[in-house]
Amino acid sequence: MPFFFALAIILVLIYSVGLENFFRAIANASPTILLSAVSIYAISWILRAVRLGSLCKNVGAHVGIKELFKIYISGNALNVILPAKLGDAAVIGYLKVHGISIGMSAAITIQCRILDVLALVLLTLPSATILFPEAPPEWIRFILIASALIALLPLGIVLLSRFVSFPNILKMIPKPKGESKHLHLFAEKTKDVYLGYLKIASDKKLFGFTLLISLFIWLLDILTCYEVSLAVGVQVPISVAVLAVSLANIGKSAPATPGSIGIYESILAAVLTLFGISIKLAVPIAILDHAIKNLFTLALGVPATMSQGLSLYELVRRNEAQKH
């Protein structure tokens, strides 16, 4: 059902500009510039692997950069195919195979997502200030506030740890009986994730380094979209490209459709049209940009998933076995 919802959104967007206009814009796009866009996007994936490696080394796990690349792109490929960010669960499972506990693997995966949101917020605020001297539209303001709250989560967790001891809270919970053991097990796993995340988030040097990498990752993502716009024949102002791509990627945090297909394109096209880009060009840019990124992820991520030698079913089975 989520897949058909995503397809319906894409079809509505294409219908809004007309089939002929849409396919003309795609057909006339410069192959050379599109190849440049793909190359830029590929570099961002190398940086993603480096960031993941830094977080893994912090917990004493030394995994090769090639393997980390395969793990991360495999999870993101599954996110494109499956709903509810199930690819993130696969990344946790893959990291567990490499000797990192489930709790720490979850903490690392969560930190990657939070770093992404924080980097996007830091990139969005200056461009939003420039483009909206008075106040941004209500829907943009809502996205910024919601994402800022998510981005402040690391600081909140570190501050909370100074006043509240999570393990002590668990000791106050009476011993479970019967089916309530599942609740206690959930609390134990949550404690492991919390303590693992606290270890990562409290390391200022690690946080600063991984945040810097995250900023470069999303600058390359924005540059990819900018190249796509040039390929279509539109020179989008850099500040507009920063705002559009950042808001579109923040919108992807809500797993309403597989890979947030439809959601990303709608937000990106809406921001572009807000600053004078014709909808007949904004929609092709948005769809082509996301298509390039998803196809690249799938082209490398699906083989990477197969090379892991584990299916999602196997990952779930191993996780269940770990509990007993």
Side-chain angles (χ1 to χ4, degrees):
M1 187 65 181
F3 172 78
F4 291 107
F5 179 56
L7 182 60
I9 297 175
I10 295 297
L11 291 176
V12 168
L13 288 173
I14 294 175
Y15 179 78
S16 68
V17 302
L19 281 173
E20 186 177 346
N21 291 326
F22 176 78
F23 287 113
R24 184 189 301 117
I26 299 296
N28 291 335
S30 168
T32 303
I33 300 180
L34 289 179
L35 184 60
S36 171
V38 173
S39 301
I40 293 169
Y41 188 61
I43 297 172
S44 75
W45 272 100
I46 297 173
L47 292 181
R48 284 179 171 91
V50 171
R51 181 181 67 181
L52 183 59
S54 299
L55 294 170
C56 290
K57 285 180 182 178
N58 180 257
V59 300
H62 297 277
V63 187
I65 191 73
K66 182 179 179 180
E67 191 63 27
L68 289 168
F69 178 89
K70 288 164 61 179
I71 287 171
Y72 207 54
I73 202 164
S74 170
N76 279 266
L78 290 171
N79 278 335
V80 174
I81 301 170
L82 303 173
K85 298 289 184 183
L86 291 178
D88 286 3
V91 171
I92 293 171
Y94 292 145
L95 292 176
K96 173 65 177 67
V97 171
H98 287 278
I100 304 175
S101 69
I102 288 292
M104 188 59 76
S105 296
I108 289 172
T109 305
I110 291 170
Q111 180 68 341
C112 285
R113 292 300 179 189
I114 290 178
L115 285 167
D116 285 336
V117 175
L118 180 56
L120 289 168
V121 170
L122 291 176
L123 290 171
T124 302
L125 289 177
S127 59
T129 302
I130 294 171
L131 295 169
F132 303 106
E134 297 181 4
E138 195 67 33
W139 65 275
I140 291 181
R141 196 181 313 164
F142 173 79
I143 293 177
L144 288 175
I145 292 174
S147 56
L149 290 174
I150 296 174
L152 289 173
L153 182 61
L155 177 61
I157 289 178
V158 173
L159 291 176
L160 181 65
S161 68
R162 296 180 180 179
F163 302 101
V164 181
S165 174
F166 194 87
N168 288 340
I169 293 176
L170 288 179
K171 290 178 182 177
M172 299 170 61
I173 301 175
K175 288 286 184 180
K177 297 180 180 180
E179 294 184 355
S180 60
K181 289 182 179 179
H182 294 290
L183 180 61
H184 185 73
L185 180 61
F186 174 77
E188 287 293 335
K189 293 297 181 183
T190 302
K191 181 192 75 171
D192 292 342
V193 176
Y194 172 80
L195 293 177
Y197 188 80
L198 185 61
K199 173 179 170 58
I200 294 172
S202 299
D203 190 324
K204 296 179 181 179
K205 185 177 180 181
L206 176 68
F207 185 79
F209 178 69
T210 51
L211 178 58
L212 181 63
I213 292 177
S214 301
L215 288 168
F216 277 110
I217 287 171
W218 291 109
L219 283 172
L220 289 170
D221 199 279
I222 291 165
L223 186 56
T224 300
C225 181
Y226 180 76
E227 287 288 288
V228 170
S229 70
L230 292 179
V232 175
V234 181
Q235 188 167 11
V236 177
I238 292 296
S239 56
V240 174
V242 170
L243 182 67
V245 176
S246 297
L247 290 177
N249 278 290
I250 290 172
K252 290 176 68 173
S253 302
T257 63
S260 294
I261 297 172
I263 308 298
Y264 178 92
E265 290 86 347
S266 299
I267 297 176
L268 182 56
V271 176
L272 291 179
T273 55
L274 193 63
F275 292 97
I277 308 298
S278 168
I279 191 171
K280 292 181 180 180
L281 294 173
V283 168
I285 289 171
I287 292 178
L288 191 55
D289 174 56
H290 206 201
I292 285 174
K293 293 169 180 174
N294 281 338
L295 288 174
F296 178 90
T297 303
L298 289 172
L300 297 183
V302 171
T305 301
M306 296 173 66
S307 71
Q308 296 295 326
L310 287 175
S311 63
L312 275 180
Y313 169 78
E314 179 68 14
L315 289 169
V316 172
R317 189 189 67 77
R318 285 194 178 194
N319 189 27
E320 289 298 322
Q322 183 77 13
K323 296 177 182 179
H324 300 293

